[in-house]
CSV table of all heavy atoms in Angstrom, one decimal:
chain,number,residue,atom,x,y,z
A,1,MET,N,-27.2,22.0,5.0
A,1,MET,CA,-25.9,22.5,5.6
A,1,MET,C,-24.8,21.4,5.5
A,1,MET,O,-23.7,21.6,5.1
A,1,MET,CB,-26.1,22.9,7.0
A,1,MET,CG,-24.9,23.7,7.6
A,1,MET,SD,-25.0,25.4,7.1
A,1,MET,CE,-23.5,26.0,7.8
A,2,ARG,N,-25.2,20.2,5.9
A,2,ARG,CA,-24.2,19.1,5.9
A,2,ARG,C,-23.6,18.7,4.6
A,2,ARG,O,-22.4,18.5,4.4
A,2,ARG,CB,-24.8,17.9,6.6
A,2,ARG,CG,-23.8,16.9,7.1
A,2,ARG,CD,-24.4,15.8,8.0
A,2,ARG,NE,-23.4,14.7,8.1
A,2,ARG,CZ,-22.6,14.6,9.1
A,2,ARG,NH1,-22.5,15.6,10.0
A,2,ARG,NH2,-21.7,13.6,9.1
A,3,PRO,N,-24.5,18.5,3.5
A,3,PRO,CA,-24.0,18.1,2.2
A,3,PRO,C,-22.9,19.0,1.7
A,3,PRO,O,-22.0,18.6,1.1
A,3,PRO,CB,-25.2,18.0,1.3
A,3,PRO,CG,-26.3,17.8,2.3
A,3,PRO,CD,-25.9,18.6,3.5
A,4,ARG,N,-23.1,20.3,1.9
A,4,ARG,CA,-22.2,21.3,1.3
A,4,ARG,C,-20.9,21.1,2.0
A,4,ARG,O,-19.8,21.2,1.3
A,4,ARG,CB,-22.8,22.7,1.7
A,4,ARG,CG,-21.9,23.8,1.0
A,4,ARG,CD,-22.3,25.2,1.5
A,4,ARG,NE,-23.4,25.8,0.7
A,4,ARG,CZ,-24.0,26.9,1.0
A,4,ARG,NH1,-23.8,27.5,2.2
A,4,ARG,NH2,-24.9,27.4,0.2
A,5,ARG,N,-20.8,20.9,3.3
A,5,ARG,CA,-19.6,20.7,4.0
A,5,ARG,C,-18.8,19.4,3.4
A,5,ARG,O,-17.6,19.4,3.2
A,5,ARG,CB,-19.9,20.5,5.5
A,5,ARG,CG,-18.7,20.8,6.3
A,5,ARG,CD,-19.1,21.0,7.8
A,5,ARG,NE,-18.0,20.6,8.6
A,5,ARG,CZ,-18.2,20.2,9.9
A,5,ARG,NH1,-19.4,20.1,10.4
A,5,ARG,NH2,-17.1,19.9,10.6
A,6,GLU,N,-19.6,18.4,3.2
A,6,GLU,CA,-19.0,17.2,2.6
A,6,GLU,C,-18.4,17.4,1.3
A,6,GLU,O,-17.3,17.0,1.0
A,6,GLU,CB,-20.1,16.1,2.5
A,6,GLU,CG,-20.6,15.5,3.8
A,6,GLU,CD,-19.5,14.7,4.5
A,6,GLU,OE1,-18.8,13.9,3.9
A,6,GLU,OE2,-19.3,14.9,5.7
A,7,LYS,N,-19.1,18.2,0.4
A,7,LYS,CA,-18.6,18.6,-0.9
A,7,LYS,C,-17.3,19.3,-0.8
A,7,LYS,O,-16.3,19.0,-1.5
A,7,LYS,CB,-19.7,19.4,-1.6
A,7,LYS,CG,-19.3,19.5,-3.1
A,7,LYS,CD,-20.3,20.4,-3.8
A,7,LYS,CE,-19.9,20.6,-5.3
A,7,LYS,NZ,-20.6,21.7,-5.9
A,8,HIS,N,-17.3,20.3,0.1
A,8,HIS,CA,-16.0,21.1,0.3
A,8,HIS,C,-14.9,20.1,0.7
A,8,HIS,O,-13.8,20.2,0.3
A,8,HIS,CB,-16.3,22.1,1.4
A,8,HIS,CG,-15.0,23.0,1.6
A,8,HIS,ND1,-14.6,23.9,0.7
A,8,HIS,CD2,-14.2,23.0,2.7
A,8,HIS,CE1,-13.5,24.5,1.2
A,8,HIS,NE2,-13.2,24.0,2.4
A,9,LYS,N,-15.2,19.2,1.6
A,9,LYS,CA,-14.2,18.2,2.1
A,9,LYS,C,-13.7,17.4,0.9
A,9,LYS,O,-12.5,17.2,0.8
A,9,LYS,CB,-14.9,17.3,3.1
A,9,LYS,CG,-13.9,16.6,4.1
A,9,LYS,CD,-14.7,15.7,5.0
A,9,LYS,CE,-14.3,15.8,6.4
A,9,LYS,NZ,-15.1,14.9,7.3
A,10,LYS,N,-14.6,17.0,0.1
A,10,LYS,CA,-14.3,16.2,-1.1
A,10,LYS,C,-13.4,17.0,-2.0
A,10,LYS,O,-12.4,16.5,-2.5
A,10,LYS,CB,-15.5,15.8,-1.8
A,10,LYS,CG,-15.4,14.5,-2.6
A,10,LYS,CD,-16.7,14.1,-3.2
A,10,LYS,CE,-16.7,12.8,-3.9
A,10,LYS,NZ,-18.0,12.4,-4.5
A,11,GLU,N,-13.7,18.2,-2.3
A,11,GLU,CA,-12.9,19.1,-3.2
A,11,GLU,C,-11.5,19.3,-2.7
A,11,GLU,O,-10.5,19.2,-3.4
A,11,GLU,CB,-13.6,20.4,-3.4
A,11,GLU,CG,-14.8,20.4,-4.3
A,11,GLU,CD,-15.5,21.7,-4.4
A,11,GLU,OE1,-15.1,22.6,-3.8
A,11,GLU,OE2,-16.5,21.7,-5.2
A,12,SER,N,-11.4,19.5,-1.4
A,12,SER,CA,-10.1,19.7,-0.8
A,12,SER,C,-9.3,18.4,-0.8
A,12,SER,O,-8.0,18.4,-1.0
A,12,SER,CB,-10.1,20.3,0.6
A,12,SER,OG,-10.8,19.3,1.5
A,13,LEU,N,-9.9,17.3,-0.7
A,13,LEU,CA,-9.3,16.0,-0.8
A,13,LEU,C,-8.8,15.8,-2.2
A,13,LEU,O,-7.6,15.3,-2.4
A,13,LEU,CB,-10.3,14.9,-0.4
A,13,LEU,CG,-9.7,13.5,-0.2
A,13,LEU,CD1,-8.7,13.4,1.0
A,13,LEU,CD2,-10.8,12.5,-0.1
A,14,ILE,N,-9.6,16.1,-3.2
A,14,ILE,CA,-9.2,15.9,-4.6
A,14,ILE,C,-8.0,16.8,-4.9
A,14,ILE,O,-7.0,16.4,-5.5
A,14,ILE,CB,-10.4,16.3,-5.5
A,14,ILE,CG1,-11.4,15.2,-5.4
A,14,ILE,CG2,-9.9,16.4,-7.0
A,14,ILE,CD1,-12.8,15.5,-6.1
A,15,LYS,N,-8.0,18.1,-4.3
A,15,LYS,CA,-6.9,19.0,-4.5
A,15,LYS,C,-5.6,18.4,-3.9
A,15,LYS,O,-4.6,18.5,-4.5
A,15,LYS,CB,-7.3,20.3,-3.9
A,15,LYS,CG,-6.4,21.5,-4.3
A,15,LYS,CD,-6.8,22.8,-3.7
A,15,LYS,CE,-5.9,23.9,-4.0
A,15,LYS,NZ,-6.2,25.1,-3.3
A,16,LEU,N,-5.8,17.9,-2.7
A,16,LEU,CA,-4.6,17.3,-2.0
A,16,LEU,C,-4.1,16.1,-2.8
A,16,LEU,O,-2.9,16.0,-3.0
A,16,LEU,CB,-5.0,16.8,-0.6
A,16,LEU,CG,-3.9,16.4,0.3
A,16,LEU,CD1,-3.2,17.5,0.9
A,16,LEU,CD2,-4.5,15.6,1.5
A,17,LEU,N,-5.0,15.3,-3.3
A,17,LEU,CA,-4.6,14.1,-4.1
A,17,LEU,C,-3.8,14.5,-5.4
A,17,LEU,O,-2.8,13.9,-5.7
A,17,LEU,CB,-5.8,13.2,-4.4
A,17,LEU,CG,-6.3,12.3,-3.3
A,17,LEU,CD1,-7.6,11.7,-3.7
A,17,LEU,CD2,-5.2,11.3,-2.9
A,18,SER,N,-4.4,15.5,-6.0
A,18,SER,CA,-3.7,16.0,-7.3
A,18,SER,C,-2.3,16.5,-7.0
A,18,SER,O,-1.4,16.3,-7.8
A,18,SER,CB,-4.6,17.0,-8.0
A,18,SER,OG,-4.7,18.1,-7.2
A,19,GLU,N,-2.2,17.3,-5.9
A,19,GLU,CA,-0.8,17.8,-5.6
A,19,GLU,C,0.1,16.7,-5.2
A,19,GLU,O,1.3,16.6,-5.6
A,19,GLU,CB,-1.0,18.8,-4.4
A,19,GLU,CG,-1.5,20.1,-4.7
A,19,GLU,CD,-1.8,21.0,-3.5
A,19,GLU,OE1,-1.4,20.6,-2.4
A,19,GLU,OE2,-2.4,22.1,-3.7
A,20,MET,N,-0.4,15.7,-4.5
A,20,MET,CA,0.4,14.5,-4.1
A,20,MET,C,0.8,13.7,-5.4
A,20,MET,O,2.0,13.3,-5.5
A,20,MET,CB,-0.4,13.6,-3.2
A,20,MET,CG,-0.3,14.0,-1.7
A,20,MET,SD,-1.3,13.0,-0.6
A,20,MET,CE,-0.6,11.4,-0.9
A,21,SER,N,-0.1,13.5,-6.3
A,21,SER,CA,0.2,12.7,-7.5
A,21,SER,C,1.2,13.4,-8.3
A,21,SER,O,2.1,12.8,-8.9
A,21,SER,CB,-1.1,12.5,-8.3
A,21,SER,OG,-1.6,13.7,-8.8
A,22,LEU,N,1.2,14.8,-8.4
A,22,LEU,CA,2.3,15.5,-9.1
A,22,LEU,C,3.6,15.2,-8.5
A,22,LEU,O,4.6,15.0,-9.2
A,22,LEU,CB,2.0,17.0,-9.1
A,22,LEU,CG,0.9,17.5,-10.0
A,22,LEU,CD1,0.6,19.0,-9.8
A,22,LEU,CD2,1.3,17.2,-11.5
A,23,GLN,N,3.7,15.3,-7.1
A,23,GLN,CA,4.9,15.0,-6.4
A,23,GLN,C,5.4,13.6,-6.7
A,23,GLN,O,6.6,13.3,-7.0
A,23,GLN,CB,4.8,15.2,-4.9
A,23,GLN,CG,4.7,16.7,-4.6
A,23,GLN,CD,4.5,16.8,-3.0
A,23,GLN,OE1,3.9,16.0,-2.4
A,23,GLN,NE2,5.1,17.9,-2.5
A,24,VAL,N,4.4,12.6,-6.7
A,24,VAL,CA,4.8,11.2,-6.9
A,24,VAL,C,5.3,11.0,-8.3
A,24,VAL,O,6.3,10.3,-8.5
A,24,VAL,CB,3.5,10.3,-6.7
A,24,VAL,CG1,3.7,8.9,-7.2
A,24,VAL,CG2,3.2,10.3,-5.2
A,25,ILE,N,4.7,11.7,-9.3
A,25,ILE,CA,5.1,11.6,-10.7
A,25,ILE,C,6.5,12.1,-10.8
A,25,ILE,O,7.4,11.5,-11.5
A,25,ILE,CB,4.1,12.4,-11.6
A,25,ILE,CG1,2.8,11.6,-11.7
A,25,ILE,CG2,4.7,12.6,-13.0
A,25,ILE,CD1,1.7,12.4,-12.3
A,26,SER,N,6.8,13.2,-10.2
A,26,SER,CA,8.2,13.8,-10.3
A,26,SER,C,9.2,12.9,-9.6
A,26,SER,O,10.3,12.7,-10.2
A,26,SER,CB,8.2,15.2,-9.7
A,26,SER,OG,8.0,15.2,-8.3
A,27,VAL,N,8.8,12.3,-8.5
A,27,VAL,CA,9.7,11.3,-7.8
A,27,VAL,C,10.0,10.1,-8.7
A,27,VAL,O,11.1,9.7,-8.9
A,27,VAL,CB,9.1,10.9,-6.5
A,27,VAL,CG1,9.9,9.7,-5.9
A,27,VAL,CG2,9.2,12.0,-5.5
A,28,ILE,N,8.9,9.6,-9.3
A,28,ILE,CA,9.0,8.4,-10.2
A,28,ILE,C,9.9,8.8,-11.4
A,28,ILE,O,10.8,8.0,-11.8
A,28,ILE,CB,7.6,7.9,-10.7
A,28,ILE,CG1,6.9,7.3,-9.5
A,28,ILE,CG2,7.8,6.9,-11.9
A,28,ILE,CD1,5.5,7.0,-9.8
A,29,ALA,N,9.7,10.0,-12.0
A,29,ALA,CA,10.6,10.4,-13.1
A,29,ALA,C,12.0,10.5,-12.7
A,29,ALA,O,12.9,10.0,-13.5
A,29,ALA,CB,10.1,11.7,-13.6
A,30,THR,N,12.3,11.0,-11.5
A,30,THR,CA,13.7,11.1,-11.0
A,30,THR,C,14.3,9.7,-10.9
A,30,THR,O,15.4,9.5,-11.3
A,30,THR,CB,13.7,11.8,-9.7
A,30,THR,OG1,13.1,13.1,-9.8
A,30,THR,CG2,15.1,12.1,-9.2
A,31,ILE,N,13.5,8.8,-10.2
A,31,ILE,CA,14.0,7.4,-10.0
A,31,ILE,C,14.3,6.7,-11.4
A,31,ILE,O,15.3,6.1,-11.6
A,31,ILE,CB,13.0,6.6,-9.2
A,31,ILE,CG1,13.0,7.1,-7.8
A,31,ILE,CG2,13.3,5.1,-9.2
A,31,ILE,CD1,11.8,6.6,-6.9
A,32,THR,N,13.4,6.9,-12.3
A,32,THR,CA,13.5,6.3,-13.7
A,32,THR,C,14.8,6.8,-14.3
A,32,THR,O,15.6,6.0,-14.9
A,32,THR,CB,12.3,6.6,-14.5
A,32,THR,OG1,11.1,6.2,-13.8
A,32,THR,CG2,12.4,5.9,-15.9
A,33,THR,N,15.0,8.1,-14.2
A,33,THR,CA,16.2,8.7,-14.8
A,33,THR,C,17.5,8.2,-14.2
A,33,THR,O,18.4,7.8,-14.9
A,33,THR,CB,16.2,10.3,-14.7
A,33,THR,OG1,14.9,10.7,-15.2
A,33,THR,CG2,17.3,10.9,-15.4
A,34,ALA,N,17.4,8.1,-12.8
A,34,ALA,CA,18.6,7.5,-12.1
A,34,ALA,C,18.8,6.1,-12.5
A,34,ALA,O,20.0,5.7,-12.7
A,34,ALA,CB,18.3,7.6,-10.6
A,35,LEU,N,17.8,5.3,-12.6
A,35,LEU,CA,17.9,3.9,-13.0
A,35,LEU,C,18.5,3.8,-14.4
A,35,LEU,O,19.4,2.9,-14.7
A,35,LEU,CB,16.6,3.1,-13.0
A,35,LEU,CG,16.1,2.8,-11.6
A,35,LEU,CD1,14.7,2.2,-11.6
A,35,LEU,CD2,17.1,1.9,-10.8
A,36,GLN,N,18.1,4.6,-15.4
A,36,GLN,CA,18.6,4.6,-16.7
A,36,GLN,C,20.1,5.0,-16.7
A,36,GLN,O,20.9,4.4,-17.4
A,36,GLN,CB,17.8,5.6,-17.6
A,36,GLN,CG,16.4,5.1,-18.0
A,36,GLN,CD,15.6,6.1,-18.8
A,36,GLN,OE1,15.9,7.3,-18.7
A,36,GLN,NE2,14.7,5.6,-19.6
A,37,GLY,N,20.4,5.9,-15.9
A,37,GLY,CA,21.9,6.3,-15.7
A,37,GLY,C,22.7,5.1,-15.2
A,37,GLY,O,23.8,4.9,-15.7
A,38,ILE,N,22.2,4.4,-14.2
A,38,ILE,CA,22.9,3.3,-13.7
A,38,ILE,C,23.0,2.2,-14.7
A,38,ILE,O,24.1,1.6,-14.9
A,38,ILE,CB,22.1,2.8,-12.4
A,38,ILE,CG1,22.3,3.8,-11.3
A,38,ILE,CG2,22.7,1.4,-12.0
A,38,ILE,CD1,21.3,3.5,-10.1
A,39,GLU,N,21.9,1.9,-15.5
A,39,GLU,CA,22.0,0.9,-16.5
A,39,GLU,C,23.1,1.3,-17.6
A,39,GLU,O,23.8,0.4,-18.0
A,39,GLU,CB,20.6,0.8,-17.3
A,39,GLU,CG,19.7,-0.1,-16.6
A,39,GLU,CD,18.4,-0.2,-17.4
A,39,GLU,OE1,18.4,-0.7,-18.5
A,39,GLU,OE2,17.3,0.2,-16.9
A,40,TRP,N,23.1,2.6,-17.9
A,40,TRP,CA,24.1,3.1,-18.9
A,40,TRP,C,25.5,2.8,-18.3
A,40,TRP,O,26.4,2.4,-19.1
A,40,TRP,CB,23.9,4.5,-19.2
A,40,TRP,CG,24.8,5.1,-20.2
A,40,TRP,CD1,24.6,5.0,-21.5
A,40,TRP,CD2,26.0,5.9,-20.0
A,40,TRP,NE1,25.7,5.6,-22.2
A,40,TRP,CE2,26.5,6.2,-21.2
A,40,TRP,CE3,26.6,6.3,-18.8
A,40,TRP,CZ2,27.7,6.9,-21.4
A,40,TRP,CZ3,27.8,7.0,-18.9
A,40,TRP,CH2,28.3,7.3,-20.2
A,41,ILE,N,25.7,3.1,-17.1
A,41,ILE,CA,27.1,3.0,-16.4
A,41,ILE,C,27.5,1.5,-16.4
A,41,ILE,O,28.6,1.1,-16.8
A,41,ILE,CB,27.1,3.5,-15.0
A,41,ILE,CG1,27.0,5.1,-15.0
A,41,ILE,CG2,28.3,3.1,-14.2
A,41,ILE,CD1,26.6,5.7,-13.7
A,42,ILE,N,26.5,0.6,-16.1
A,42,ILE,CA,26.8,-0.8,-16.1
A,42,ILE,C,27.1,-1.3,-17.5
A,42,ILE,O,28.1,-2.1,-17.7
A,42,ILE,CB,25.5,-1.6,-15.6
A,42,ILE,CG1,25.4,-1.4,-14.1
A,42,ILE,CG2,25.6,-3.1,-15.9
A,42,ILE,CD1,24.1,-1.8,-13.5
A,43,LYS,N,26.4,-0.8,-18.5
A,43,LYS,CA,26.7,-1.2,-19.9
A,43,LYS,C,28.1,-0.8,-20.3
A,43,LYS,O,28.9,-1.5,-20.9
A,43,LYS,CB,25.7,-0.5,-20.8
A,43,LYS,CG,25.4,-1.2,-22.1
A,43,LYS,CD,24.4,-0.5,-22.9
A,43,LYS,CE,22.9,-0.7,-22.5
A,43,LYS,NZ,22.0,0.0,-23.4
A,44,VAL,N,28.5,0.5,-19.9
A,44,VAL,CA,29.8,1.0,-20.2
A,44,VAL,C,30.9,0.1,-19.5
A,44,VAL,O,31.9,-0.3,-20.2
A,44,VAL,CB,29.9,2.5,-19.8
A,44,VAL,CG1,31.4,2.9,-19.9
A,44,VAL,CG2,29.1,3.3,-20.7
A,45,VAL,N,30.7,-0.2,-18.3
A,45,VAL,CA,31.6,-1.0,-17.5
A,45,VAL,C,31.8,-2.4,-18.1
A,45,VAL,O,32.9,-2.9,-18.3
A,45,VAL,CB,31.2,-1.1,-16.0
A,45,VAL,CG1,32.0,-2.1,-15.3
A,45,VAL,CG2,31.3,0.3,-15.3
A,46,LYS,N,30.7,-3.0,-18.5
A,46,LYS,CA,30.7,-4.3,-19.1
A,46,LYS,C,31.5,-4.2,-20.4
A,46,LYS,O,32.3,-5.1,-20.7
A,46,LYS,CB,29.3,-4.8,-19.4
A,46,LYS,CG,28.6,-5.5,-18.2
A,46,LYS,CD,27.3,-6.0,-18.6
A,46,LYS,CE,26.6,-6.7,-17.5
A,46,LYS,NZ,25.2,-7.1,-17.8
A,47,GLN,N,31.3,-3.2,-21.2
A,47,GLN,CA,32.0,-3.0,-22.5
A,47,GLN,C,33.5,-2.9,-22.2
A,47,GLN,O,34.3,-3.5,-22.9
A,47,GLN,CB,31.5,-1.8,-23.3
A,47,GLN,CG,30.2,-2.1,-24.0
A,47,GLN,CD,29.7,-0.9,-24.7
A,47,GLN,OE1,30.2,0.2,-24.5
A,47,GLN,NE2,28.7,-1.1,-25.6
A,48,LEU,N,33.9,-2.1,-21.2
A,48,LEU,CA,35.3,-2.0,-20.8
A,48,LEU,C,35.9,-3.3,-20.4
A,48,LEU,O,37.0,-3.6,-20.7
A,48,LEU,CB,35.4,-0.9,-19.7
A,48,LEU,CG,35.2,0.6,-20.2
A,48,LEU,CD1,35.1,1.5,-19.0
A,48,LEU,CD2,36.2,1.0,-21.2
A,49,LEU,N,35.1,-4.0,-19.6
A,49,LEU,CA,35.6,-5.3,-19.1
A,49,LEU,C,35.8,-6.3,-20.2
A,49,LEU,O,36.7,-7.2,-20.2
A,49,LEU,CB,34.7,-5.9,-18.0
A,49,LEU,CG,34.7,-5.1,-16.7
A,49,LEU,CD1,33.6,-5.7,-15.7
A,49,LEU,CD2,36.1,-5.2,-16.0
A,50,ASN,N,34.9,-6.3,-21.2
A,50,ASN,CA,34.9,-7.2,-22.3
A,50,ASN,C,36.1,-7.0,-23.3
A,50,ASN,O,36.5,-7.9,-24.0
A,50,ASN,CB,33.6,-7.2,-23.1
A,50,ASN,CG,32.5,-7.9,-22.3
A,50,ASN,OD1,32.7,-8.7,-21.5
A,50,ASN,ND2,31.3,-7.6,-22.7
A,51,LYS,N,36.6,-5.8,-23.2
A,51,LYS,CA,37.7,-5.4,-24.2
A,51,LYS,C,39.0,-6.1,-23.7
A,51,LYS,O,39.3,-6.3,-22.6
A,51,LYS,CB,37.9,-3.9,-24.3
A,51,LYS,CG,36.9,-3.3,-25.1
A,51,LYS,CD,37.1,-1.8,-25.3
A,51,LYS,CE,36.0,-1.2,-26.2
A,51,LYS,NZ,36.1,0.3,-26.2
């Protein structure tokens, strides 16, 4: 009886972790995109200042 319960617990934990990792990946992707945008803005501003 006990091992089965442990397995169920493990499966639900894996499911939770996979859902969390998907959220984390999307957050990282958003941050990366934002950083690239900021880098682009800085590059444009530097070019404008150099002119």
